[in-house]
Amino acid sequence: MSTLSKLLLPLALAAAISACSKPAEQAAPAATPTETAAPAEAAAPEVAAIQVASGTYKLDPSHTDVLVQWNHMGFSNPTAHFGNADGTLVYDAADVSKSTVEVTLPLSGLNSFTAKFDEHLRSADFFDAAKFPTATFKSSKVEAAGTNKLTVTGDLTIKGVTKPVVLDVTVNGAGEHPMMKVPSVGFDATTTLKRSDFGVGAYAPAVSDEVKVRITTEASQAKAEEAKAEEAKAEEAKAQ
């Protein structure tokens, strides 16, 4: 082999190796999995506003419950409920601030699910039901608080003591009642009270002074003939 060939041979081998390795180097990035962009989180759908028809609604006592809960000496969280509610809601869809609500809760509907404890709650230690047989709520202000939300401020009277109370209200649904075929509406509401504010503070603070209140209710407008009868009755009462 000539001297020139000996010099050119290493260069040729280097060029060949370089040419063979180049496609592999170019292919390497393609072999690496590409990062996939995380899908954007879907925006939560907007809650549709429930349309409540204007009018006067009567509370349905069979589907109205006022549930109260307290803490007993750090051991348990008992509940009791007030049933047999009687009440009227006047709703103004054009101007919700003109809406009103009045409710009467007879203490005869108080149920702690234990008869002996019911007797104690109705005694002078607590509600003194013989002297004060009902609790009442009368709204003083109704405000819109967002989609299907209301804030209802009013006067709560228990045991002859009246204090302002604020209810956080959610409109559950509204429309024609499938059975009665009249406009109906349903609400949930919550608040927290201090029972000592109303003279019902026995055994506090061992038994919590604060009481959580949860309300659920349905109300319906009267049928046309019933509404006319009520109007006639009201007019008759005014004339007397």
Side-chain angles (χ1 to χ4, degrees):
M1 182 181 292
S2 66
T3 302
L4 180 60
S5 297
K6 290 179 179 180
L7 292 173
L8 291 176
L9 183 58
L11 293 174
L13 290 172
I17 293 171
S18 176
C20 292
S21 64
K22 200 167 188 179
E25 290 173 358
Q26 291 174 343
T32 303
T34 56
E35 293 184 3
T36 304
E41 292 186 6
E46 292 186 6
V47 177
I50 296 171
Q51 303 300 319
V52 182
S54 295
T56 300
Y57 294 79
K58 187 74 173 175
L59 266 60
D60 177 1
S62 297
H63 297 96
T64 298
D65 195 13
V66 179
L67 188 72
V68 298
Q69 185 175 40
W70 62 95
N71 180 269
H72 184 257
M73 300 184 180
F75 296 117
S76 61
N77 296 287
T79 59
H81 83 108
F82 295 80
N84 300 330
D86 180 39
T88 301
L89 163 69
V90 178
Y91 192 84
D92 190 324
D95 185 355
V96 72
S97 67
K98 295 180 180 178
S99 302
T100 61
V101 59
E102 292 189 36
V103 181
T104 297
L105 292 172
L107 293 182
S108 59
L110 171 61
N111 185 358
S112 68
F113 312 106
T114 304
K116 187 175 181 179
F117 188 37
D118 288 346
E119 293 177 9
H120 192 193
L121 289 175
R122 293 192 184 100
S123 74
D125 281 354
F126 290 100
F127 289 101
D128 198 0
K131 187 176 180 180
F132 305 100
T134 63
T136 63
F137 176 82
K138 183 176 182 180
S139 66
S140 56
K141 182 168 61 175
V142 178
E143 302 170 284
T147 304
N148 305 327
K149 301 287 186 181
L150 301 168
T151 300
V152 179
T153 303
D155 293 323
L156 176 64
T157 301
I158 297 174
K159 206 173 179 179
V161 179
T162 301
K163 297 283 185 179
V165 169
V166 179
L167 301 176
D168 295 318
V169 179
T170 299
V171 183
N172 297 328
E176 183 180 83
H177 194 285
M179 297 177 68
M180 297 185 289
K181 305 301 181 184
V182 293
S184 299
V185 63
F187 300 94
D188 273 10
T190 59
T191 192
T192 300
L193 308 175
K194 278 193 173 183
R195 56 193 182 91
S196 60
D197 287 346
F198 299 91
V200 196
Y203 308 111
V207 177
S208 64
D209 193 9
E210 283 197 346
V211 176
K212 296 178 181 179
V213 182
R214 184 175 66 83
I215 303 163
T216 191
T217 186
E218 291 181 24
S220 298
Q221 293 188 20
K223 293 182 178 180
E225 58 271 21
E226 293 175 357
K228 288 181 180 178
E230 286 295 326
E231 289 178 6
K233 188 176 179 180
E235 290 297 327
E236 184 179 346
K238 287 180 182 179
Q240 292 178 350

